[in-house]
Structures are given as structure tokens and as C-alpha cells.
Amino acid sequence: MKKKFIAISILLSIVITSIFLVGVLAYATYGHIDESLQYNYKMSGNETEEISLDADICNIEINYNNTMMPTNISMIIYLEIHFEGIFLEGKTYENYFEPINTVNNSIKKDLTLRTKQNNWCDPSCWFRKGYVRLTAILRTDLKYNITCLVSTGNIILTTKEYQSFNEVSLSTSTGNINLNSKGTNFEKELLLSTITGNILLNSDDSHFLNDINIVSSTGNIYLTQNNCVMQSNLQMSVITGNINLAQNNITNNYNNTWNIITQTGNIDIIIDQGIDLGGNIEGLIMSSTGNLVIQYYDNQINTGSKFTGNVITGTKTYTNGGGFIQEGNIFRSLDFPTSQFSYDFLLQSNTGNIYIFACSS
């Protein structure tokens, strides 16, 4: 018994000593990195400025200027790097990142931020915490093409009224994408994609003159459009996640196609049409495993709608709020056969239920 007590005492002493040494080591090697960098990009003289932002680890936010910018500057980038933790004493951001590459000429304006490949074997990376943040400031009197690619991090783009973009492509492997537009013209394709993360597109009084393509492998998609002009096709797809679409008083100047698809997840769509639609919309709304919920309202005599529901395992529930009729799998407005403009959707759920509430007056 005495030998056992001695062994326990020795073991306890070793543990206490180890904890003490770890504490001393942590105190002695604890450090922090705070770096703030600024990059000014000159005007190219072209109608459209080409911007590309590419980062391994970074949260990127793109905004417009609230104060006057120098007349020869088309974009200002502020890069903030903050790390803290043990084993960081004496280190700088250059221990973790390759030299920051910037391109600033009349054709393109780029910034590339790459982490060093051997970071995984550096103990300081195991315990550090912090952030890398890039803020790009655009000027309101220019048009931009924007390509933004992040491996790990979020992307936020906030526009102002009367702004125009050609192509916009925002992609992240692990992170969320948030685009808020008001009174903005998107003249070419809008692409939003993430592998693991959510995508939110919130638009008021904006014009989409080309295709909208929103893709997430694992995450949810939220699309809200109020008083927007749609001259484009809409593609929304998720492998595992939900899709939420809300449209209020859109103008559809062309005949467009919607494909809204998730393999595992629910799809919720709200359409409230109180103005002249201006064109036809047809398409597919499908979930392999999940529910489809449609809420539809219109008060236009020249706008009709038809929903055709197919379920392999599940039920279909059609609720008539007025002005609709059910014909087998078809649920249509009474004025659909004669309406000038229309919504015409095929709803398919392999395993799940379909719920439609519709009202047309």
C-alpha cells in the first residue's frame, strides 16, 4: 500500500510539473500579430474595371465608398491580419503567407493571398486564433467585373443604387456568400457558388439582364427579390440543403426558364405578383428527398399560372385560395389558358410531399 501511495504521489508530481511547464512555455511564447496593409489601384481609363480577389483564408467584404476617393483611384483594398496564441512570439504574418501578389495595370486589378504549404507542421498554427479580413472599396461612378474566390472564408458584396456590373462571380469552398443589391444592374451572368456554406441574395429594384446561377453543395440558398426586372434564366441547385425563394412584383421582359433543384432538402417558394409580369416563366422545381411548398398570389387579369405535381412517395395537397381549379395532378388558375403571361412549373418530389396554396383574382 505504501509503494502504491508513493507511485501515485510521483505520478501526481509529474502531472503538476508538466502543467506548470506548459503554463510557463505558453506564457513565454505567447504572442500576437497585427498587420494592416493598404493597396491603392489606379484608374485604367476603360469603361469597366476588371477585379480579381483570390485568397486561401480570408473574409472578403466589398463595399462602395462613403467618402470622396482620389480621382485617379478605382479601388482601395484594406487587408487586416490578426493572430494570437502560443509559439507566436517573434513571428510576423510573413511566416504564414506567401508574398502578397498584386496586379495593378490598365487591364486587371488583382490581389492573391496564399498560405505557405508547410503551415500544417508549425505548432503555432495549431493553437492560434484570429482572423484575416479584406475590405475592398469601390467608387460609385465606375462599372466593375468582379471575380472573388476564397478557399476558407465568407464573401459579402453590398451595392448601392445606380451601380452596374458586367460579370460577377463569387465562390468559396468553405464559407457563406451574402450579396445585397439595391437599384443595381447586373448586365452579364451572376454566379454564386459554395461547397460548404449558405448563400443569400437579397435584391430590391435591381435589373438582372443575364442568367442567375446559384450553387451550394452543402448549405442553404436564400433568394429574395422585390420589384426587380428579370431578363434571364434562374438556376438554383443544392446537393444537401434547403432552397428558399421569395419574389414580389417582378417584371419578366423575356420568356425565361427556372430550374430549382435539391437532392436532399426542402424547397419553399413565395410568389406575390401585383404588377404586369411581362413575360412567361416555365421550369422545374424538384427535390429527390424533401418537401415542396409553393405559395402563389396574383391580382393581374393577364397573368395565369399552372403547377403540375408528381410524387413517387408522398402526398400532394392543393389549396385553392380563389381563382384556381384542380385537374388531376394539375393545379391551375382559371385564366391560365387565355392569359397573356404565365408561370408554368413542373413539381417533382421522389420522396416527400407537395403543398401548394394559390390565389388568383
Side-chain angles (χ1 to χ4, degrees):
M1 180 66 70
K2 183 177 182 180
K3 291 182 179 180
K4 184 176 180 181
F5 177 76
I6 294 173
I8 294 175
S9 298
I10 294 173
L11 180 60
L12 183 60
S13 298
I14 293 173
V15 171
I16 294 173
T17 302
S18 299
I19 294 174
F20 174 76
L21 292 175
V22 169
V24 171
L25 179 63
Y27 177 80
T29 64
Y30 195 93
H32 62 87
I33 298 170
D34 287 289
E35 192 71 38
S36 296
L37 304 170
Q38 179 176 333
Y39 302 90
N40 295 339
Y41 291 82
K42 296 180 180 179
M43 299 270 285
S44 68
N46 298 329
E47 179 185 1
T48 303
E49 299 287 354
E50 302 276 347
I51 295 172
S52 177
L53 306 175
D54 190 351
D56 287 341
I57 301 175
C58 191
N59 290 323
I60 294 180
E61 185 169 355
I62 304 171
N63 295 312
Y64 279 86
N65 62 303
N66 292 317
T67 58
M68 291 292 295
M69 292 174 62
T71 57
N72 64 330
I73 299 299
S74 64
M75 177 177 64
I76 300 175
I77 286 181
Y78 300 99
L79 182 62
E80 300 176 63
I81 301 173
H82 170 76
F83 292 142
E84 61 180 282
I86 61 176
F87 304 117
L88 278 178
E89 177 64 27
K91 293 182 179 292
T92 70
Y93 79 96
E94 294 172 329
N95 292 103
Y96 305 102
F97 294 96
E98 300 289 348
I100 299 173
N101 182 41
T102 61
V103 177
N104 185 2
N105 56 39
S106 60
I107 301 175
K108 296 196 70 175
K109 290 159 177 56
D110 299 355
L111 186 143
T112 304
L113 183 63
R114 292 274 174 267
T115 57
K116 290 187 173 179
Q117 294 183 355
N118 61 351
N119 276 350
W120 63 272
C121 62
D122 185 344
S124 64
C125 294
W126 306 343
F127 303 101
R128 79 183 184 200
K129 59 183 179 180
Y131 59 84
V132 180
R133 181 184 301 136
L134 185 155
T135 304
I137 306 298
L138 310 179
R139 57 187 307 140
T140 56
D141 56 349
L142 292 178
K143 183 187 296 185
Y144 294 91
N145 279 355
I146 295 181
T147 300
C148 188
L149 178 63
V150 177
S151 295
T152 303
N154 303 317
I155 302 173
I156 299 174
L157 170 59
T158 303
T159 74
K160 286 189 176 181
E161 290 185 287
Y162 313 117
Q163 305 311 309
S164 293
F165 294 93
N166 274 351
E167 295 181 1
V168 174
S169 176
L170 309 179
S171 301
T172 178
S173 296
T174 303
N176 302 318
I177 296 174
N178 191 329
L179 196 165
N180 296 290
S181 71
K182 184 174 183 179
T184 305
N185 290 332
F186 296 92
E187 298 180 358
K188 294 187 178 179
E189 182 184 20
L190 173 61
L191 172 62
L192 308 177
S193 67
T194 179
I195 296 177
T196 303
N198 300 320
I199 299 176
L200 186 150
L201 171 56
N202 189 2
S203 298
D204 295 318
D205 305 303
S206 295
H207 290 209
F208 298 88
L209 308 182
N210 213 304
D211 291 351
I212 301 174
N213 197 344
I214 307 175
V215 181
S216 177
S217 294
T218 304
N220 302 316
I221 294 176
Y222 305 90
L223 171 58
T224 302
Q225 294 176 310
N226 298 306
N227 303 304
C228 291
V229 175
M230 294 282 290
Q231 297 181 193
S232 57
N233 300 318
L234 174 62
Q235 312 290 325
M236 303 171 68
S237 64
V238 176
I239 295 177
T240 303
N242 303 315
I243 296 177
N244 293 268
L245 168 63
Q247 285 191 334
N248 177 53
N249 291 342
I250 67 167
T251 302
N252 183 60
N253 291 332
Y254 293 90
N255 296 332
N256 297 324
T257 301
W258 291 5
N259 286 309
I260 303 174
I261 301 171
T262 176
Q263 290 189 18
T264 303
N266 301 318
I267 298 176
D268 290 273
I269 296 177
I270 299 175
I271 297 173
D272 190 349
Q273 193 64 27
I275 62 174
D276 191 0
L277 182 60
N280 299 318
I281 297 175
E282 64 178 9
L284 173 66
I285 301 170
M286 184 177 75
S287 175
S288 295
T289 304
N291 298 322
L292 309 180
V293 180
I294 309 293
Q295 298 180 60
Y296 174 87
Y297 311 87
D298 85 65
N299 61 3
Q300 300 296 297
I301 60 175
N302 62 353
T303 299
S305 60
K306 182 179 76 172
F307 305 95
T308 303
N310 291 319
V311 173
I312 296 176
T313 302
T315 62
K316 298 188 299 292
T317 302
Y318 299 156
T319 302
N320 183 2
F324 269 76
I325 187 172
Q326 182 174 347
E327 299 172 331
N329 290 338
I330 296 174
F331 192 47
R332 67 168 178 86
S333 61
L334 296 174
D335 59 0
F336 176 80
T338 59
S339 61
Q340 183 179 3
F341 310 115
S342 64
Y343 295 90
D344 189 352
F345 293 125
L346 171 63
L347 282 64
Q348 176 71 50
S349 179
N350 295 336
T351 303
N353 303 312
I354 294 177
Y355 303 96
I356 302 175
F357 175 88
C359 176
S360 181
S361 59

